[in-house]
Amino acid sequence: MSSTSSSDARSWFKSSHSGGNTTECVEAAHLGEATAIRDSKATEEGSLLFRPGAWSSFVSALQDGRLR
């Protein structure tokens, strides 16, 4: 995983699990060889990049309730 600048042009979308006015707001952008995530309330802080295998494992763990 590595960090990238928030100024990169990407198609960011808000997570379906992000609340309306809560502090838990995550945005994601699917890239060719990675998925980027960032805090939508602190976009200037950059983002994290995950390779496809790591992202799939993370999402599966969330869906299976292994992470809370």
Side-chain angles (χ1 to χ4, degrees):
M1 155 172 70
S2 64
S3 178
T4 185
S5 169
S6 63
S7 64
D8 294 340
R10 295 195 174 98
S11 296
W12 292 98
F13 62 93
K14 188 176 263 190
S15 167
S16 61
H17 294 280
S18 290
N21 290 325
T22 66
T23 59
E24 301 168 348
C25 296
V26 176
E27 292 179 323
H30 294 298
L31 311 174
E33 291 298 317
T35 297
I37 61 168
R38 68 181 181 184
D39 182 340
S40 64
K41 293 184 179 184
T43 58
E44 69 282 355
E45 297 295 324
S47 60
L48 297 174
L49 296 177
F50 294 88
R51 294 183 185 261
W55 183 251
S56 293
S57 294
F58 174 68
V59 171
S60 293
L62 286 174
Q63 292 172 334
D64 295 344
R66 292 180 275 146
L67 300 175
R68 296 198 183 258

